[in-house]
Amino acid sequence: MPMHRREFITLLGGSAVGWPLASSAQQPKMPVIGYLSAQSAKDDYENFTVPFLQGLKITGHVEGQNVAIEYRWAENQYDRLPALVADLVRRRVAVIVASGNPPAVAAKAATTTIPIVFSAGSDPVALGLIASLNRPGANLTGIANLSAELLPKQLQLLRELIPNAARFGVLADPAFPGIQSTIADLEAAARMLGLQLVVVNARTDRDIEMAFATFSQQGVGAVLVGNGNLYPRRTAQLAALAARHALPAIYPYREFVLAGGLMSYGSSIGYFYRQVGIYAGRILNGDKPANLPVQQVTRIELTVNLKTAEALGIEFPLALLIRAEEVIQ
């Protein structure tokens, strides 16, 4: 039976509609990463999520192209973490990225089979996450930033900058693991320097505001901002509060100084989270968590902000400037 040209074109068009469907059915399923954070998308994006995605890209994975990411945000409500991670487990994600200590603990409790890459701001062995740094075992590995160990050195640097001050403020997160022993070590260091510490606990935005008001009322000469679950997400707020109360302050991460803080001694959040992304990508590429030693962030740098110093009427000693890896004009 002869076929007219219009009928042929119609048949061809109908067949063509089916070709992409058949082709897409042959595409391999895109792996899914579950990203668990105790904070919010807005709080984490610039300093945490962006460098994490950069680390993934280094290993060949780009969100939306060859990997999907399911984000779960607890919005600073830690009691939501178990339900959020349980949802990721039900979805059978390829790997769970646990951003911070509380998410890491929740993820470990939720699964023994799905690989977990954690970022820990304190000793992951003491937290009970792993057996040892070199041989983490089971389904967990990650990056550890032992910033609490740097607090006595940060106090020494602050004293060097403000030699006439006898009283220093300390901003502390009471929920941060090991905080009591950390403060005890810091107080011992203060006694060696002949200093008095005013320790104020703060877990929320309101707490932070009130803490700086307390520091001003107590007449501290400078402030040491400790590590905490919320503080790295409030770099601009903390720098602004220090400026408002005319208080010199030292911080645990470079990002605080980029946001207008005076001085930091520690690592970079960006470097930290790029390593987390690299480890997640390596697991997607076939590495087993048990075979990936937990990395400790060892790149410690002194960063100073001369513009902030000028606004505070402070002049950095030459000895400090020489030791600084980065000087922001």
Side-chain angles (χ1 to χ4, degrees):
M1 178 176 169
M3 182 178 294
H4 296 291
R5 180 174 179 273
R6 179 176 296 174
E7 293 172 336
F8 175 75
I9 292 173
T10 301
L11 177 62
L12 182 62
S15 301
V17 170
W19 293 346
L21 295 176
S23 176
S24 64
Q26 296 170 5
Q27 295 291 326
K29 188 176 180 181
M30 190 181 293
V32 178
I33 295 173
Y35 187 99
L36 181 68
S37 171
Q39 307 303 325
S40 69
K42 178 182 177 182
D43 289 341
D44 270 18
Y45 182 74
E46 183 177 354
N47 288 337
F48 294 81
T49 310
V50 168
F52 166 72
L53 295 175
Q54 291 169 347
L56 270 181
K57 189 174 182 179
I58 290 171
T59 63
H61 300 281
V62 178
E63 183 181 15
Q65 293 185 17
N66 57 1
V67 66
I69 303 178
E70 289 281 342
Y71 295 95
R72 296 293 181 272
W73 311 100
E75 305 286 346
N76 206 28
Q77 299 175 46
Y78 294 175
D79 57 349
R80 295 181 58 199
L81 289 169
L84 293 174
V85 73
D87 180 53
L88 294 175
V89 172
R90 282 193 298 271
R91 292 172 181 268
R92 298 182 181 178
V93 295
V95 58
I96 294 173
V97 172
S99 176
N101 294 339
V105 172
K108 177 180 170 64
T111 178
T112 58
T113 55
I114 297 175
I116 298 169
V117 177
F118 60 78
S119 64
S122 54
D123 184 356
V125 176
L127 280 174
L129 294 176
I130 54 172
S132 73
L133 296 176
N134 290 333
R135 296 174 178 264
N139 62 319
L140 288 90
T141 189
I143 315 297
N145 181 25
L146 307 184
S147 56
E149 298 177 0
L150 302 176
L151 287 175
K153 178 64 175 179
Q154 291 167 357
L155 182 63
Q156 182 182 337
L157 290 168
L158 205 54
R159 171 65 183 279
E160 192 173 341
L161 180 63
I162 316 290
N164 296 325
R167 178 180 291 184
F168 287 75
V170 178
L171 188 70
D173 181 348
F176 201 73
I179 187 62
Q180 292 181 345
S181 62
T182 298
I183 294 299
D185 291 343
L186 190 58
E187 287 177 334
R191 285 192 296 271
M192 293 285 290
L193 295 170
L195 301 175
Q196 180 185 355
L197 297 184
V198 177
V199 180
V200 180
N201 292 328
R203 288 192 63 184
T204 67
D205 291 316
R206 178 170 171 75
D207 290 344
I208 293 171
E209 294 267 356
M210 293 176 65
F212 273 83
T214 299
F215 291 144
S216 289
Q217 293 165 4
Q218 293 287 325
V220 302
V223 173
L224 189 156
V225 175
N227 208 344
N229 296 307
L230 181 63
Y231 305 162
R233 278 90 178 175
R234 295 294 185 269
T235 53
Q237 178 190 358
L238 283 160
L241 279 169
R244 185 193 311 166
H245 292 277
L247 285 170
I250 189 167
Y251 307 89
Y253 298 110
R254 170 179 177 266
E255 281 76 9
F256 285 97
V257 183
L258 297 180
L262 176 65
M263 175 170 60
S264 69
Y265 182 73
S267 61
S268 158
I269 300 172
Y271 175 80
F272 189 17
Y273 270 76
R274 273 190 294 275
Q275 304 312 306
V276 173
I278 288 171
Y279 256 28
R282 288 183 62 176
I283 288 174
L284 291 179
N285 290 340
D287 284 337
K288 303 298 182 186
N291 298 331
L292 294 174
V294 172
Q295 291 188 32
Q296 293 188 70
V297 176
T298 57
R299 194 168 79 177
I300 307 302
E301 298 178 344
L302 174 63
T303 305
V304 302
N305 190 319
L306 295 185
K307 184 177 179 180
T308 301
E310 183 180 1
L312 290 169
I314 293 173
E315 185 174 345
F316 275 97
L318 181 59
L320 267 180
L321 289 178
I322 291 174
R323 281 154 33 211
E325 280 79 13
E326 184 177 8
V327 177
I328 298 173
Q329 302 289 340

